[in-house]
Amino acid sequence: MIFTGHYANYALGFIVGTSLHTGTRMFYPLPKKIQLAVSQAKWAIQSSQSVLILVGLDQLQNLAGWTESQVALNLRQLLKRAQALDITVLEVSSDNPQRGLLALGQYLAVDRQLIMAGQVSGLFNQILQHALSVTERVCVIDDAILSSGLEQHIQWIDNLSMQNVHHMNSNAVTRLWSLSAPAALILSAKGIVQAVAEQLDLHPLEIELDVDLRDYGLDSVAMVTLIGLWRANGANITYEDFLQHPTLQDLLRILPVHIADGSML
């Protein structure tokens, strides 16, 4: 499945793994950054070039305890940011991978950056090795994958580093996506609405234009985050401006909204 707007409702907790010895489900905490080998790759992630590839998500969602897992929370963060920045998301299912693999070939043909997450499996490794045979611009999100245990998780990432395969955590990837996104997207009407929806953890259609965003739960931290994003892309908006114009309708009026041809209103 290819989608850019829909994402599942993941939540916080631990990764669910599978014991190699018993075949039963077990939990392991995500490895800390210091436990992982440093990525040696030199290329830079760009939101306009990225495709987020989710492998085996259909099987992960069926695991007991999945909705309480940390990896699920990290995937949710990635999907929300991808939605906000119009980044394509490609799902390759374990049950029927052919459709996803065909789409993958199209992105490889135009040299897109492949950002990978999901279940570490034979299918994941097959996709990874095929992609690396065509391009070096492949990045694995090291806290949004599920292996069979903590030790195997760390070893797998270490092996990637030895092969000069890029890996980053979800916070670093979403930050680079935001920093590299064009101002014409960030300050478009769609971009403004999507950014607000991301902070509220709501679908854009759930937000009424004339309702105070604080009534939906937008707090001061989220407001400062949004102001920082918009100011970094050329908008002259202050915290006081936001307090005085707290609806989407107001924001679309006071922000320098970009229109389709790249000019501003």
Side-chain angles (χ1 to χ4, degrees):
M1 179 190 303
I2 303 173
F3 57 98
T4 56
H6 175 73
Y7 50 84
N9 185 24
Y10 304 111
L12 179 62
F14 292 94
I15 298 179
V16 182
T18 306
S19 169
L20 294 176
H21 303 293
T22 65
T24 58
R25 300 300 176 191
M26 64 179 184
F27 296 90
Y28 68 89
L30 286 166
K32 297 178 173 63
K33 186 175 181 179
I34 196 172
Q35 294 177 276
L36 302 175
V38 176
S39 177
Q40 301 298 320
K42 303 302 181 184
W43 58 273
I45 289 178
Q46 299 285 330
S47 62
S48 61
Q49 293 295 310
S50 292
V51 176
L52 177 60
I53 301 176
L54 304 178
V55 182
L57 189 60
D58 53 324
Q59 291 193 351
L60 292 177
Q61 289 172 328
N62 291 327
L63 294 177
W66 169 251
T67 56
E68 293 79 31
S69 69
Q70 180 66 53
V71 71
L73 177 68
N74 293 341
L75 282 170
R76 181 186 181 186
Q77 175 189 1
L78 289 161
L79 286 165
K80 288 197 301 180
R81 189 60 54 85
Q83 181 193 43
L85 298 177
D86 268 348
I87 294 170
T88 298
V89 180
L90 170 62
E91 182 179 342
V92 184
S93 69
S94 300
D95 291 339
N96 184 22
Q98 296 306 315
R99 182 179 179 185
L101 292 173
L102 286 173
L104 174 64
Q106 296 174 1
Y107 296 122
L108 285 171
V110 294
D111 196 27
R112 297 288 291 275
Q113 297 178 353
L114 307 182
I115 315 299
M116 297 185 63
Q119 185 176 41
V120 177
S121 60
L123 177 61
F124 194 111
N125 284 310
Q126 176 188 350
I127 294 171
L128 178 62
Q129 294 305 316
H130 175 60
L132 290 171
S133 71
V134 178
T135 179
E136 66 173 6
R137 301 203 303 167
V138 179
C139 179
V140 172
I141 305 174
D142 53 36
D143 63 351
I145 57 171
L146 171 70
S147 188
S148 53
L150 177 59
E151 182 179 350
Q152 291 78 11
H153 189 131
I154 294 171
Q155 289 177 347
W156 193 76
I157 293 296
D158 287 351
N159 287 335
L160 291 185
S161 294
M162 292 175 61
Q163 300 173 56
N164 291 322
V165 178
H166 209 354
H167 69 87
M168 282 186 170
N169 61 39
S170 51
N171 284 331
V173 170
T174 54
R175 179 175 59 84
L176 290 173
W177 276 347
S178 293
L179 289 173
S180 62
L185 173 61
I186 298 295
L187 292 177
S188 68
K190 180 178 180 180
I192 292 167
V193 173
Q194 293 280 21
V196 170
E198 181 183 2
Q199 292 298 320
L200 292 172
D201 198 16
L202 294 173
H203 191 281
L205 294 179
E206 296 179 89
I207 306 172
E208 297 292 336
L209 285 173
D210 57 352
V211 173
D212 190 321
L213 295 172
R214 291 168 293 190
D215 292 344
Y216 291 108
L218 193 75
D219 59 20
S220 59
V221 174
M223 292 173 72
V224 169
T225 299
L226 289 167
I227 291 166
L229 173 66
W230 295 328
R231 287 182 66 88
N233 286 274
N236 185 23
I237 181 174
T238 66
Y239 188 73
E240 290 71 24
D241 292 333
F242 207 150
L243 290 176
Q244 294 172 16
H245 303 88
T247 71
L248 272 181
Q249 185 172 269
D250 289 338
L251 290 171
L252 292 172
R253 178 170 54 82
I254 68 171
L255 287 168
V257 178
H258 284 255
I259 57 178
D261 64 2
S263 59
M264 290 192 296
L265 294 175

